[in-house]
């Protein structure tokens, strides 16, 4: 095996594109070098380079092949096409029987020759999210101007260039030269392999491994924060981004002027993160600390004092802008901003004003279900989007909702109204907390369910990886809020509420109704409501799968009958899962599937066997025992399910295991006497029906 090493050195690559660029290089090379059996592949990426190293075979050995061509009597055009396909001449053919035959000898190719031949094609096919041309007239593109190519096989240069006819390819020729840190190294130098490249770049103040840069930054942040008696606000995304901005990370700590410490902590953090890629810090009580941390690419000749001072000046200017918006926005109440939402588009012909009115209605309805302050919920729903027309949210859209909460408190609104406004977007992601206060829950669910109805009704649904309006996130948010707060919601009815609020013709569904009977004014919306419910259930399956739970059991429980109470649905699912985890449950499932298979086959012959069981025809002890057990179990299961004692229902079903096993062991279902056969099939039908009250066990895998 030979070591192949390739480095592509360029001007600064955007941090967000580096990892993808290295992965694209590895993908293309795997396809191009497949004949050389690449092994132990490693990729590297950073601000000014992506690189690839792999163990390759020494070359592709010589080979031969035989291709049978057209018949000797075939038209001349057929023979010409065969020759073109294989790049052969007529004299290369020989006659064998009735056919023309081509014997091809393929000479061996050394790894270096193969690499030199394929790399220009690989680099010309390379796909960046965005590419550019630079200088001259070359058609070759790259994410940023490509400056050097190092290409080595066992330490020797594999020569190739990017010229293509009259295109000079920017004069790029493969060699063994690279460069270190832009400011901390002394120009270009030679390398003879991957290990030598890593070692020499480290001496030249470049850490080539992105993971190592990340670890150094994280450790440096923690050490500086601990020294100041504070902690770093976790931000994995910023950590990854900064690791792609520097080659020689130097973590530094700056101070925040006391004049800006009264700004909301979220404003400070977002301003630092978005504008400057600074890390926010907090004190032992969780409040914003008067420090910020950042990562420089050089240590500075004075120990970093000038760099720190410069960043402090920049941050003062940023915070001064934030202060301007903070002070200006508070001169006008949120309530007075609501009218301006009519001039802001939510989607198509729906304004944010119409959305706010619908959210007000919907939040009030959801508050009724939770027996909380309806007027407060309606107020919070109406004000929830008002911060969209503030200067702060215009500058930092990430703060929508959060700023609304701050401004509502400043306006003197009740604390729980302000909290509901601040939290109505939550959860924004898997790591985000869900609202827990009833009023906050009402507004958050109103926001998400309204959006789901609006977009599904408009025919806009997630497809594949496309979800521009974050409807999957909204659906998962609904599920998490309901699950984590154990909300007893009739979900279809709540979706109907969203429909009615959207239509602006609100009707109050009865507490006992699923809600669909209230859709008479809008019958065409019934399929949309069901589609949204199915979408939510599908997202629930995804969540259960991610948790390692039995989503097939959820399917089985759903198969027992429509249930739109997620808390009850999941409690039943947990109970069935627990039953299946026992020996009795596993054997009962096997017996159920055996009974279901018999019924499926026999029902096809002479119709469903759903008649009553005739006790007089139970001639064997095992079938009499099963009938007696079923007579006890069926009402117990029904009563337990009605009282939501799902564990009790499963315990009752478990008692069927022994008599059902005995039945299959001692009783011949398809007896030669038709009346006994029908009676035994009816008994199995009743067993299946009793079990299906808890779950459709035929949907359980395994």
């Amino acid at each position: 095996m030979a070591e192949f090493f390739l480095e592509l050195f360029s001007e600064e690559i955007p941090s967000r594109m580096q990892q993808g660029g290295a992965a694209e290089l590895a993908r293309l090379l795997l396809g191009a070098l497949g004949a050389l059996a690449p092994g132990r592949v490693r990729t590297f990426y950073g601000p000014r380079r992506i690189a690839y190293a792999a163990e390759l075979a020494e070359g592709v050995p010589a080979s031969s092949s035989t291709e049978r061509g057209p018949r000797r009597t075939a038209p001349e055009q057929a023979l010409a096409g065969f020759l073109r396909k294989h790049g052969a001449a007529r004299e290369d053919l020989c006659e064998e029987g009735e056919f023309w035959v081509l014997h091809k000898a393929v000479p061996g190719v050394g790894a270096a020759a193969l690499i030199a031949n394929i790399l220009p094609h690989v680099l010309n096919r390379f796909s960046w999210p965005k590419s550019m041309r630079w200088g001259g007239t070359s058609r070759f593109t790259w994410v940023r101007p490509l400056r050097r190519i190092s290409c080595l096989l066992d330490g020797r240069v594999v020569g190739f260039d990017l010229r293509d006819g009259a295109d000079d390819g920017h004069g790029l020729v493969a060699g063994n030269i690279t460069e270190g840190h832009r400011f901390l190294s002394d120009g270009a130098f030679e390398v003879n392999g991957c290990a030598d490249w890593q070692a020499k770049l480290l001496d030249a103040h470049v850490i080539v491994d992105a993971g190592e840069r990340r670890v150094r930054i994280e450790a440096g942040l923690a050490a500086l924060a601990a020294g100041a008696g504070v902690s770093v606000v976790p931000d994995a995304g910023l950590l990854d981004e900064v690791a792609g901005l520097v080659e020689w990370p130097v973590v530094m700590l700056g101070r925040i002027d006391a004049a800006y410490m009264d700004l909301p902590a979220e404003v400070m953090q977002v301003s630092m993160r978005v504008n400057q890629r600074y890390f926010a810090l907090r004190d032992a009580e969780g409040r914003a600390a008067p420090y910020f941390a950042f990562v420089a690419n050089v240590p500075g000749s004075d120990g970093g004092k000038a760099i720190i001072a410069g960043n402090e000046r920049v941050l003062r200017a940023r915070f001064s802008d934030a202060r301007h918006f903070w002070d200006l926005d508070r001169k006008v109440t949120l309530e007075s901003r609501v009218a301006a939402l009519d001039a802001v588009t939510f989607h198509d012909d729906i304004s944010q004003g119409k959305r706010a009115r619908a959210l007000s209605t919907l939040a009030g309805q959801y508050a009724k279900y939770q027996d909380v302050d309806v007027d407060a919920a309606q107020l919070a729903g109406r004000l929830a989007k008002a911060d969209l027309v503030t200067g702060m949210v215009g500058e930092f859209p990430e703060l929508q909702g959060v700023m609304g909460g701050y401004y509502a408190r400043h306006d003197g609104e009740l604390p729980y109204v302000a909290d509901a406004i601040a939290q109505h977007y939550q959860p924004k992601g898997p790591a985000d907390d869900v609202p827990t206060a009833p009023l906050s829950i009402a507004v958050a669910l109103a926001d998400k369910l309204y959006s789901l109805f609006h977009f599904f009704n408009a025919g806009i649904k997630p497809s594949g990886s496309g979800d521009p309006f974050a409807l999957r996130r909204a659906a998962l948010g609904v599920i998490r809020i309901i699950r984590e707060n154990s909300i007893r919601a009739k979900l279809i009815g709540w979706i109907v509420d969203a429909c009615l609020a959207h239509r602006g013709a609100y009707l109050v569904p009865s507490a006992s109704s699923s809600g669909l009977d209230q859709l008479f004014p809008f019958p065409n919306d019934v399929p949309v409501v069901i589609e949204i419910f199915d979408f939510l259930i599908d997202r629930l399956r995804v969540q259960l799968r991610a948790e390692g739970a039995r989503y097939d059991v959820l399917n089985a429980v759903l198969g027992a009958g429509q249930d739109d109470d997620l808390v009850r649905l999941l409690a039943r699912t947990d109970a069935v899962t627990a039953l299946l985890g026992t020996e009795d449950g596993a054997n009962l499932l096997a017996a159920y599937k055996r009974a279901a298979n018999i019924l499926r086959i026999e029902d096809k012959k002479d119709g469903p066997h759903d008649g009553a069981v005739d006790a007089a025809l139970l001639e064997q002890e095992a079938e009499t025992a099963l009938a007696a057990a079923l007579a006890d179990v069926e009402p117990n299961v029904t009563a337990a399910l009605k009282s939501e004692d799902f564990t009790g229902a499963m315990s009752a079903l478990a008692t069927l295991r022994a008599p059902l096993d005995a039945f299959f062991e001692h009783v011949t279902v398809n007896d030669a006497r038709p009346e006994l056969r029908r009676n035994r099939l009816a008994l199995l039908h009743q067993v299946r029906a009793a079990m299906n009250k808890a779950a459709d066990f035929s949907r359980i895998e395994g």
Side-chain angles (χ1 to χ4, degrees):
M1 300 294 282
E3 184 199 66
F4 169 57
F5 175 72
L6 176 69
E7 181 201 45
L8 302 164
F9 177 84
S10 70
E11 298 297 330
E12 276 70 9
I13 306 169
S15 180
R16 67 185 183 280
M17 298 185 189
Q18 294 166 15
Q19 185 175 10
E24 172 74 352
L25 181 63
R27 184 188 70 81
L28 291 173
L29 289 175
L30 177 63
L33 299 172
L36 297 174
R40 198 188 168 219
V41 172
R42 290 172 292 163
T43 58
F44 307 87
Y45 53 88
R48 295 204 293 163
R49 66 198 83 223
I50 60 173
Y52 174 95
E55 298 293 326
L56 302 180
E58 300 285 347
V60 179
S63 62
S64 62
S65 64
T66 299
E67 301 287 345
R68 192 176 75 172
R71 292 180 178 274
R72 289 188 294 110
T73 56
E76 193 65 28
Q77 296 92 324
L79 183 58
F82 175 74
L83 294 173
R84 277 196 308 273
K85 176 182 176 181
H86 294 283
R90 185 158 189 151
E91 53 268 24
D92 297 328
L93 301 176
C94 62
E95 299 179 29
E96 293 186 7
E98 298 182 8
F99 294 91
W100 292 105
V101 175
L102 173 65
H103 296 285
K104 296 174 63 177
V106 181
V109 181
L114 183 60
I115 291 168
N117 182 56
I118 65 170
L119 274 177
H121 302 289
V122 166
L123 297 183
N124 275 290
R125 287 169 45 214
F126 200 99
S127 175
W128 290 98
K130 289 185 179 181
S131 298
M132 63 177 290
R133 290 192 176 93
W134 66 95
T137 59
S138 175
R139 295 188 303 274
F140 181 79
T141 63
W142 202 246
V143 61
R144 293 293 185 269
L146 187 61
R147 298 306 188 197
R148 295 184 185 276
I149 301 172
S150 296
C151 187
L152 302 169
L153 186 67
D154 272 350
R156 294 184 295 276
V157 172
V158 178
F160 68 88
D161 60 53
L162 298 183
R163 287 179 297 182
D164 183 11
D167 189 332
D168 67 359
H170 299 292
L172 288 164
V173 179
N176 63 347
I177 306 294
T178 191
E179 297 180 27
H181 194 284
R182 187 182 288 277
F183 306 111
L184 301 177
S185 66
D186 297 325
F189 50 86
E190 294 183 358
V191 295
N192 59 30
C194 184
D196 184 56
W197 173 77
Q198 288 180 272
K200 287 181 177 176
L201 279 175
L202 188 61
D203 289 340
H205 295 88
V206 175
I207 299 171
V208 296
D209 184 82
E212 185 180 345
R213 292 195 302 273
R214 192 184 193 279
V215 167
R216 286 201 182 196
I217 292 169
E218 193 168 23
L221 289 168
L224 281 180
V230 296
S231 61
V232 181
V233 176
D235 195 333
L238 181 58
L239 197 56
D240 288 336
E241 182 179 5
V242 171
L245 295 176
V246 294
E247 293 184 311
W248 191 254
V250 181
V251 182
M252 297 183 181
L253 192 69
R255 290 193 67 93
I256 299 173
D257 282 0
Y260 299 110
M261 289 305 298
D262 63 333
L263 286 171
E266 296 89 345
V267 170
M268 297 168 66
Q269 182 179 352
V270 170
S271 180
M272 288 189 288
R273 187 192 199 283
V274 171
N275 290 321
Q276 301 303 133
R277 309 301 187 262
Y278 294 162
F279 292 86
L281 303 164
R282 59 190 173 200
D283 62 20
E285 285 74 40
R287 298 170 304 199
Y291 299 99
F292 67 96
F294 64 97
V295 182
N297 200 29
V298 294
S301 58
D302 58 355
K305 292 180 182 178
I307 296 174
I308 292 171
N311 280 273
E312 288 175 342
R313 282 195 303 274
V314 171
L315 189 58
R316 281 196 294 272
R318 295 298 187 187
F319 281 174
S320 178
D321 292 342
R323 163 74 69 196
H324 168 74
F325 292 123
W326 173 242
D327 292 341
L328 188 65
D329 288 343
R330 290 181 297 164
K331 292 180 179 179
V332 179
T333 65
L334 273 183
E335 184 70 65
S336 67
R337 294 182 182 275
V338 172
L341 292 174
D342 284 327
V344 180
T345 299
F346 166 49
H347 177 255
D348 284 348
D349 60 343
I350 304 295
S351 71
Q352 292 288 4
K354 180 176 180 179
R355 183 189 189 190
R357 290 186 287 276
L359 292 184
S360 178
T361 300
L362 197 52
Q365 185 65 20
Y366 293 166
K368 288 180 185 178
Y369 297 149
Q370 299 182 84
D371 196 24
V372 295
D373 190 336
V374 173
D375 291 338
Q378 290 178 336
L379 174 62
R382 186 170 69 253
L383 299 181
K385 303 300 177 182
D387 67 356
L388 294 176
V389 292
T390 63
M392 188 72 81
V393 172
E395 180 73 9
F396 301 115
E398 301 90 341
L399 292 175
Q400 54 191 281
V402 172
M403 296 315 302
Y406 276 109
Y407 296 144
R409 291 185 191 91
H410 178 266
D411 295 345
E413 303 292 356
L414 292 169
Y416 49 84
V417 171
D419 289 343
I421 294 169
Q423 297 168 10
H424 80 277
Y425 287 104
Q426 291 178 234
K428 296 179 181 177
D432 198 15
D433 292 333
V434 302
T436 56
L439 197 68
S440 297
I441 289 169
V443 181
L445 287 175
D447 181 54
K448 292 165 179 58
L449 288 170
Y450 176 83
S451 291
L452 285 167
F453 182 83
H454 169 78
F455 287 110
F456 269 70
N457 182 65
I460 299 171
K461 305 155 196 174
S463 59
S465 60
D467 188 12
F469 295 100
L471 300 182
R472 291 190 184 96
R473 185 175 69 190
L476 284 171
V478 170
I479 292 165
R480 283 191 58 200
I481 291 171
I482 291 174
R483 287 185 70 186
E484 294 177 33
N485 290 288
S486 298
I487 298 171
R488 302 306 302 270
K490 295 183 72 65
L491 190 52
I492 289 179
W494 288 40
I495 300 169
V496 169
D497 290 333
C499 164
L500 297 172
H502 177 79
R503 295 301 185 194
Y506 197 80
L507 304 174
V508 181
S510 65
S512 62
S513 170
S514 69
L516 289 179
D517 59 321
Q518 299 296 324
L519 274 175
F520 179 76
F522 313 108
N524 292 335
D525 289 337
V526 173
V528 180
V529 170
I530 297 301
E531 189 175 21
I532 293 170
F533 176 73
D534 290 343
F535 179 67
L536 288 165
I537 293 298
D538 184 61
R539 292 297 92 194
L540 178 59
R541 291 190 186 98
V542 169
Q543 190 178 60
L544 292 177
R545 187 182 296 118
E547 295 170 359
R550 293 285 300 272
Y551 60 90
D552 60 325
V553 178
L554 172 65
N555 293 338
V557 171
L558 284 167
Q562 186 73 273
D563 191 347
D564 61 347
D565 183 331
L566 295 190
V567 172
R568 183 171 58 223
L569 194 62
L570 289 171
R572 289 176 64 186
T573 300
D574 289 342
V576 174
T577 301
L579 172 65
L580 295 175
T582 66
E583 182 182 357
D584 280 347
N587 289 331
L588 182 63
L589 176 62
Y592 170 93
K593 291 194 172 184
R594 183 176 179 183
N597 283 334
I598 292 171
L599 288 168
R600 178 174 50 82
I601 294 168
E602 299 305 317
D603 286 355
K604 285 183 179 179
K605 294 179 182 177
D606 44 13
H609 296 82
D610 52 1
V613 175
D614 186 347
L617 294 175
L618 300 173
E619 65 177 32
Q620 294 192 35
E621 182 180 347
E623 58 183 328
T624 301
L626 178 58
L630 188 60
D632 289 337
V633 166
E634 196 278 336
N636 289 340
V637 169
T638 300
L641 291 174
K642 186 175 181 179
S643 64
E644 299 190 8
D645 177 13
F646 303 119
T647 300
M650 296 308 113
S651 297
L653 284 179
T655 63
L656 285 175
R657 179 257 173 116
L660 194 53
D661 283 350
F663 177 86
F664 281 124
E665 183 177 354
H666 299 292
V667 177
T668 300
V669 176
N670 286 320
D671 193 278
R673 291 165 290 181
E675 65 278 9
L676 291 187
R677 170 181 170 273
R678 285 193 297 271
N679 202 54
R680 289 166 181 172
L681 288 171
L683 182 58
L684 289 182
H685 176 86
Q686 289 189 4
V687 169
R688 183 178 65 180
M691 292 185 66
N692 280 351
K693 288 187 174 184
D696 181 353
F697 285 85
S698 67
R699 299 190 182 191
I700 294 174
E701 299 174 1

